[in-house]
């Protein structure tokens, strides 16, 4: 697949304001809920309404979506509000039903993108239609698999494409539900600058309080749009309740977002600068997160040493670490002086953590 301007024509065709906003509930629950939310979003920055009809759930027994009946509710919402409608499709039957009900935008969920057979089945079912199709990143941080999903659609003649960055699953406990790994999306953006890139702060964060922050980060990185789960009664939503916001909160988030224009040379410079600074901010937060995790391990070591009555300072081990880190640092272009200073500080903090554990 070549980078192709054709991929983003749909964004321009709609003359959508920057950024493109997709919003609506995680799941369609009842006709009344679908219509109420759509009406509340009608006169806002939202251009495309979202609602999951078929819901892939991690464990059986959860709410698996209302099914095809929900497509009728979306049709009604479109007729009443003029918003474009979008939903998730995971197989050829979903595609067939979505096409029959005039759904404008289809997205492929993270759990489907991981499966080339499923994506191919969807691509075949969509062959040569002019639907807009958005591919969510796979749950695992695999850029080739993500690009592969887009390629299968492109090869089936679907040209109105886009990708949704919804973060990646990890066993590690982090402040995110799905860690962003921004560098993966940025690499995709630099390989295919004309492929619209949309951020899903709802699934990245899993928490409504963090949506503003992650949305701003995405805009600073020149994303083309945002997809935000929005519900009239988030706490009682049938799925993903912790991450949904009310339409009023969504409007507040958008009012506070700083959107940059992309016109003059100066703007190009500022955009490039903002992008680099955002990368630095991401790296700095990662450093702190890693250091925090390292100190938690130090606490566990402290507890173990306390139980076995072993001294905190183990000089042999420390010298081994230093030697190894200086060599690794050199390979990464870091001076010996810097690595020494850095690890002395880390070691000091680690010792004081262990001492705290041991001495209470
Ligand atoms: C969703 O958008 O509701 C959804 C199921 O998302 P994901 O595929 O990103 O988990
Ligand atoms: Mn959801």
């Amino acid at each position: 697949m070549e980078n192709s301007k054709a991929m983003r024509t749909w964004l321009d065709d709609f003359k959508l304001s920057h950024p493109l906003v997709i919003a609506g509930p995680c799941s369609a629950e009842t006709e009344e809920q679908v219509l109420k939310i759509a009406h509340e979003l009608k006169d806002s920055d939202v251009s495309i309404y979202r609602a999951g009809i078929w819901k892939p759930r991690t464990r059986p027994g959860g709410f698996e979506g209302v099914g095809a009946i929900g497509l009728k509710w979306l049709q009604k919402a479109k007729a009443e509000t003029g918003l474009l409608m979008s939903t998730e499709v995971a197989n050829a039957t979903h595609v067939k039903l979505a096409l029959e009900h005039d759904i404008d935008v289809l997205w492929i969920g993270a759990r489907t993108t991981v499966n080339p057979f499923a994506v191919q089945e969807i691509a075949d079912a969509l062959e040569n239609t002019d639907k807009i199709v958005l591919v969510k990143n796979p749950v695992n941080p695999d850029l080739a698999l993500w690009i592969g999903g887009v390629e299968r659609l492109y090869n089936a003649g679907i040209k109105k494409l886009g990708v949704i960055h919804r973060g990646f699953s990890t066993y590690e406990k982090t402040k995110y539900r799905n860690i962003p790994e921004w560098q993966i999306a940025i690499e995709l953006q630099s390989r295919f600058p004309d492929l619209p890139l949309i951020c899903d702060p709802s699934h990245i964060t899993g928490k409504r309080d963090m949506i503003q922050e992650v949305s701003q980060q995405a805009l600073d990185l020149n994303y083309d749009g945002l997809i935000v789960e929005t519900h009239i009664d988030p706490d009682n939503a049938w799925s993903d309740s912790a991450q949904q916001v009310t339409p009023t909160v969504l409007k507040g988030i958008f009012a506070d977002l700083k959107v940059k224009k992309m016109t003059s040379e100066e703007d190009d410079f500022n955009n490039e600068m903002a992008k680099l600074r955002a990368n630095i901010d991401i790296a700095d937060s990662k450093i702190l997160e890693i250091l925090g995790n390292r100190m938690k391990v130090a606490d566990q070591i402290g507890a173990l040493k306390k139980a076995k009555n072993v001294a905190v300072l183990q000089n042999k081990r420390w010298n081994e670490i230093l030697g190894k880190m200086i060599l690794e640092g050199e390979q990464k272009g870091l001076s010996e002086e810097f690595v020494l200073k850095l690890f002395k500080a880390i070691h000091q903090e680690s010792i004081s953590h262990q001492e705290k554990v041991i001495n209470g």
Side-chain angles (χ1 to χ4, degrees), residues 26 50 55-56 88 107 109-111 136 166 200 203 229:
C26 175
R50 65 149 286 154
K55 301 301 300 176
E88 173 172 347
W107 82 79
R111 292 163 192 77
K136 285 198 161 197
R166 52 78 81 195
D200 177 344
H203 290 89
E229 287 190 340

Side-chain angles (χ1 to χ4, degrees), residues 294-307 310-314 317-318 321 346-360:
R294 192 193 189 283
M295 294 312 152
K296 279 188 201 129
V297 178
D299 290 341
Q300 288 167 355
I301 290 181
L304 209 59
K305 284 179 178 168
K306 183 178 183 180
V310 174
V312 165
L313 189 59
Q314 301 281 327
R317 161 90 180 133
W318 166 234
I321 295 184
I346 292 176
H347 190 228
Q348 198 52 51
E349 181 71 5
S350 193
I351 287 179
S352 69
H353 265 255
Q354 292 187 34
E355 277 174 352
K356 238 184 244 158
V357 172
I358 290 171
N359 304 322

Side-chain angles (χ1 to χ4, degrees), residues 127-157:
E127 197 159 3
N128 294 325
T129 61
D130 72 341
K131 290 291 165 191
I132 299 166
V133 186
L134 308 175
V135 182
K136 285 198 161 197
N137 65 255
V139 281
N140 54 323
D142 184 340
L143 178 56
L145 195 54
W146 196 2
I147 294 175
V150 181
E151 277 170 338
R152 286 177 196 281
L153 294 158
Y154 189 82
N155 293 344

Side-chain angles (χ1 to χ4, degrees), residues 53 73 85 128 149 193 206 252 262 290 302 327 340:
I53 300 294
W73 307 339
M85 293 293 136
N128 294 325
M262 286 178 283
I290 292 170
L327 279 180
L340 266 176

Side-chain angles (χ1 to χ4, degrees), residues 67-88:
I69 178 87
L71 295 168
K72 299 236 180 309
W73 307 339
L74 293 184
Q75 273 186 310
K76 200 160 172 191
K78 182 175 171 175
E80 289 185 13
T81 64
L83 290 168
L84 296 179
M85 293 293 136
S86 70
T87 200
E88 173 172 347

Side-chain angles (χ1 to χ4, degrees), residues 11-177:
L11 263 188
D12 306 333
D13 282 354
F14 287 120
K15 300 225 174 351
L16 297 168
S17 54
H18 177 79
L20 165 73
V21 185
I22 306 174
C26 175
S27 305
E29 297 167 4
T30 63
E31 179 173 343
E32 193 198 356
Q33 173 246 20
V34 166
L35 293 175
K36 231 174 168 172
I37 302 169
H39 277 280
E40 287 205 23
L41 293 174
K42 187 176 59 168
D43 299 312
S44 67
D45 294 317
V46 177
S47 313
I48 303 176
Y49 189 71
R50 65 149 286 154
I53 300 294
W54 300 283
K55 301 301 300 176
R57 305 313 297 270
T58 304
R59 308 270 309 267
F63 169 59
E64 297 196 328
V66 291
I69 178 87
L71 295 168
K72 299 236 180 309
W73 307 339
L74 293 184
Q75 273 186 310
K76 200 160 172 191
K78 182 175 171 175
E80 289 185 13
T81 64
L83 290 168
L84 296 179
M85 293 293 136
S86 70
T87 200
E88 173 172 347
V89 289
N91 59 39
T93 311
H94 295 167
V95 171
K96 184 172 167 283
L97 286 163
L99 293 180
E100 279 169 16
H101 289 82
D102 272 334
I103 301 298
D104 307 281
V105 180
L106 310 178
W107 82 79
I108 297 183
R111 292 163 192 77
T112 305
T113 310
V114 289
N115 181 348
F117 288 133
V119 177
Q120 192 58 52
E121 177 183 319
I122 293 168
D124 293 344
L126 278 166
E127 197 159 3
N128 294 325
T129 61
D130 72 341
K131 290 291 165 191
I132 299 166
V133 186
L134 308 175
V135 182
K136 285 198 161 197
N137 65 255
V139 281
N140 54 323
D142 184 340
L143 178 56
L145 195 54
W146 196 2
I147 294 175
V150 181
E151 277 170 338
R152 286 177 196 281
L153 294 158
Y154 189 82
N155 293 344
I158 320 277
K159 293 291 177 309
K160 295 178 181 170
L161 288 165
V163 287
I164 300 176
H165 173 212
R166 52 78 81 195
F168 301 90
S169 181
T170 166
Y171 190 62
E172 246 174 86
K173 282 260 162 301
T174 73
K175 64 178 178 173
Y176 301 102
R177 177 177 176 197

